[in-house]
Amino acid sequence: MSKHVTPFRAPVGTHDVIGPESAQWENVIALFAELAYRYGFELAISPLFEDIGVFNRGIGEHSDVAKKEMYVFDDRGGRTLALRPEGTASVVRAFVQHQPTTPWKAWYVTPAFRYERPQAGRYRQHHQLGVEVLGTDDPAVDVEVITMAWRFFASLGLTRVRLLINSMGHDECRGAYIELLRSYLGEHEFELCDEHRKVWADNPLRVLDCKKASCVEVTTSGPMLPDHICEDCRAHFDAVLSGLAALGVEASLNPRLVRGFDYYTRTTFEFVADALDGAQNAIGGGGRYDKLSEQLGGKPTSGIGFGCGIERLLLTRAAENDEPLTLLNRTLDCFVVDTTGEDVATVLLDELRGAGLAVNRAYDGRSMKSQMKVADKSGARLAILVGPQELAAGEVTIRDLRSTNFEQTQHTAARGDVVATITNLLTK
Ligand code: HAM
């Protein structure tokens, strides 16, 4: 006798996506793919793991994600690799490697892995939809990328989403600001939260990101980034704000918004959903990273993009509106019930699917009653019944599964007319 095995479960902080929830995922991804196509983006798929240097250099060794949250492992060849904690560094690594013609506009859908403390809306494997544009620092592209995300949320029916925006300046003006902030924090070191009291000097910008009351209090009276950016960066930022205003995209300035990765320069932004709990209410975020290509060994190339979490998008949708998304029709057209055991059902299914219909069947030669139960549960509009009588007459019986009055709604069709009859009935 085999030993009892306790059933395995998905690892902590991860989740399976199966029906009916997976139909919502299909909707969200298809909608994003369609929008990306309309905005001129091509799909990019790159490995889920990279040399650890891609992330350490890209997102910054001092970022929380690189320091505490990455899944790092040595492979059998002794290489130190990491599972991608986000999509941008890998896409830029692919850009540096393949040197596509610029501006290069790529979109992606990807899992991302972060060893965080799991809670509602925060997972160790989450999934992102995102875009990146490389090869231009035109503020028009900032406007386009931000607007695309804004329109995407609207097309998902989300109404309570706010856009927060900031400019982090370029290397030089940001560098000067960091020194100013460092000396200010030095004077207030003992007022910072426990964590930042120890590490503020490594990366002072992270203190601006801290949500603890003590850090918020100290930084509120300190120097703020937008007051210290150079004229060029100011002009760039003003052009972005003016473009957004021209399109009716409402942005509110948030001078604390420095985001969690070191690659950001100039425009940074985040979308927050008021329907979600404050701690995990960012449904998307992004910004410029004009130095990232060089940091990964490529030519100087400007870039900008955003990523949004599919789980949080769907949590927001559910909190705002409990109707499922039906942008893609994911209901079955027909269910074939066959009690003859002959090939007739197999042939019928093939014909109907070939005509573009969504069709399923029961297996294992079950009774008519049990097959009808499955047909009812399947959500299909119509059942196509083939029993010995229908087989002998060269016909099928068609029943509307949404009607309670079979007598009036039942149809008979000759085998050769099934596709036409079904197509006709489905349009009624
Ligand atoms: P991020 O803000 O770290 O940015 O993540 C983007 C989005 O992914 C967040 O706004 C959130 O919706 C979702 N997300 C992040 N972590 C989790 C988690 N643990 N559980 C569930 N959802 C999560 C980036 O990743 C950048 N690569 C965005 C970007 C693209 N910047 C420029 N281009």
Side-chain angles (χ1 to χ4, degrees):
M1 218 167 75
S2 62
K3 264 211 215 142
H4 175 72
V5 178
T6 312
F8 290 102
R9 300 183 63 81
V12 173
T14 70
H15 57 110
D16 300 306
V17 181
I18 61 171
E21 193 201 351
S22 53
Q24 299 300 291
W25 283 61
E26 275 191 88
N27 270 278
V28 172
I29 296 167
L31 206 118
F32 192 80
E34 170 60 25
L35 205 61
Y37 164 69
R38 274 194 258 149
Y39 275 75
F41 287 87
E42 64 184 46
L43 176 65
I45 301 172
S46 41
L48 289 190
F49 56 86
E50 299 272 353
D51 186 297
I52 190 171
V54 170
F55 303 117
N56 275 345
R57 286 191 184 201
I59 65 182
E61 274 162 283
H62 295 301
S63 67
D64 275 358
V65 171
K67 248 187 345 197
K68 306 183 208 157
E69 297 171 3
M70 271 204 298
Y71 281 85
V72 178
F73 60 100
D74 287 339
D75 75 1
R76 289 166 198 267
R79 301 170 195 89
T80 303
L81 304 167
L83 295 184
R84 57 161 58 165
E86 56 100 53
T88 311
S90 312
V91 171
V92 176
R93 195 271 310 138
F95 170 82
V96 168
Q97 183 172 338
H98 303 287
Q99 302 181 25
T101 317
T102 55
W104 186 55
K105 297 171 86 174
W107 75 274
Y108 51 88
V109 48
T110 181
F113 306 88
R114 298 182 190 175
Y115 192 84
E116 294 192 85
R117 201 157 44 79
Q119 62 181 73
R122 190 164 72 191
Y123 310 94
R124 290 187 176 161
Q125 176 177 335
H126 71 277
H127 298 80
Q128 284 192 23
L129 287 161
V131 301
E132 311 295 346
V133 185
L134 282 124
T136 168
D137 66 356
D138 188 332
V141 88
D142 304 41
V143 174
E144 187 175 286
V145 159
I146 296 171
T147 306
M148 179 184 164
W150 184 259
R151 303 271 184 250
F152 176 52
F153 303 139
S155 62
L156 290 173
L158 309 185
T159 54
R160 290 160 54 212
V161 176
R162 282 178 296 121
L163 164 62
L164 311 178
I165 197 164
N166 193 17
S167 173
M168 303 198 44
H170 75 314
D171 253 13
E172 275 169 38
C173 50
R174 188 177 49 158
Y177 168 76
I178 290 175
E179 283 322 309
L180 200 66
L181 182 63
R182 186 174 270 127
S183 75
Y184 173 79
L185 293 178
E187 289 161 24
H188 297 270
E189 183 177 343
F190 298 105
E191 297 154 49
L192 298 176
C193 76
D194 289 350
E195 183 191 347
H196 287 115
R197 201 175 308 137
K198 291 183 211 126
V199 297
W200 64 272
D202 291 343
N203 191 341
L205 288 181
R206 294 283 75 80
V207 184
L208 287 179
D209 233 4
C210 181
K211 307 277 184 294
K212 304 244 170 61
S214 48
C215 284
V216 173
E217 200 171 312
V218 171
T219 50
T220 302
S221 331
M224 285 295 176
L225 236 170
D227 303 328
H228 296 273
I229 58 177
C230 68
E231 259 177 52
D232 277 358
C233 290
R234 181 80 249 167
H236 188 275
F237 192 42
D238 286 345
V240 174
L241 295 178
S242 137
L244 291 173
L247 295 177
V249 179
E250 282 167 47
S252 36
L253 185 68
N254 181 343
R256 288 177 169 279
L257 186 75
V258 290
R259 313 249 314 127
F261 305 130
D262 288 355
Y263 53 58
Y264 287 115
T265 52
R266 291 193 163 176
T267 316
T268 48
F269 54 92
E270 206 154 87
F271 296 94
V272 296
D274 286 338
L276 293 187
D277 173 45
Q280 310 300 331
N281 67 355
I283 54 171
R288 278 210 157 269
Y289 42 82
D290 293 339
K291 291 284 165 186
L292 184 52
S293 166
E294 280 164 86
Q295 276 154 5
L296 297 179
K299 294 190 197 123
T301 313
S302 302
I304 182 167
F306 71 79
C308 42
I310 300 179
E311 290 84 354
R312 289 192 195 169
L313 286 177
L314 287 172
L315 284 171
T316 310
R317 166 77 199 187
E320 283 201 20
N321 180 339
D322 49 18
E323 288 289 307
L325 291 165
T326 51
L327 308 155
L328 272 190
N329 176 16
R330 282 294 174 258
T331 47
L332 271 186
D333 294 314
C334 317
F335 196 94
V336 176
V337 171
D338 165 60
T339 51
T340 69
E342 303 286 332
D343 287 335
V344 59
T346 308
V347 173
L348 253 177
L349 279 140
D350 192 52
E351 277 174 21
L352 291 160
R353 287 172 179 155
L357 299 175
V359 195
N360 211 349
R361 63 170 291 178
Y363 304 97
D364 302 326
R366 298 203 185 156
S367 70
M368 167 87 165
K369 197 170 154 203
S370 123
Q371 291 194 44
M372 278 311 289
K373 258 197 201 159
V374 188
D376 273 329
K377 258 182 88 176
S378 75
R381 259 291 294 283
L382 302 170
I384 304 177
L385 283 55
V386 197
Q389 254 180 325
E390 281 94 350
L391 184 66
E395 290 173 350
V396 302
T397 298
I398 302 168
R399 203 176 264 186
D400 186 339
L401 288 171
R402 302 199 183 157
S403 158
T404 43
N405 188 345
F406 292 146
E407 310 295 296
Q408 276 174 17
T409 53
Q410 194 151 294
H411 302 260
T412 306
R415 277 284 291 105
D417 299 336
V418 175
V419 171
T421 313
I422 294 281
T423 314
N424 190 26
L425 286 171
L426 286 171
T427 50
K428 280 194 182 151

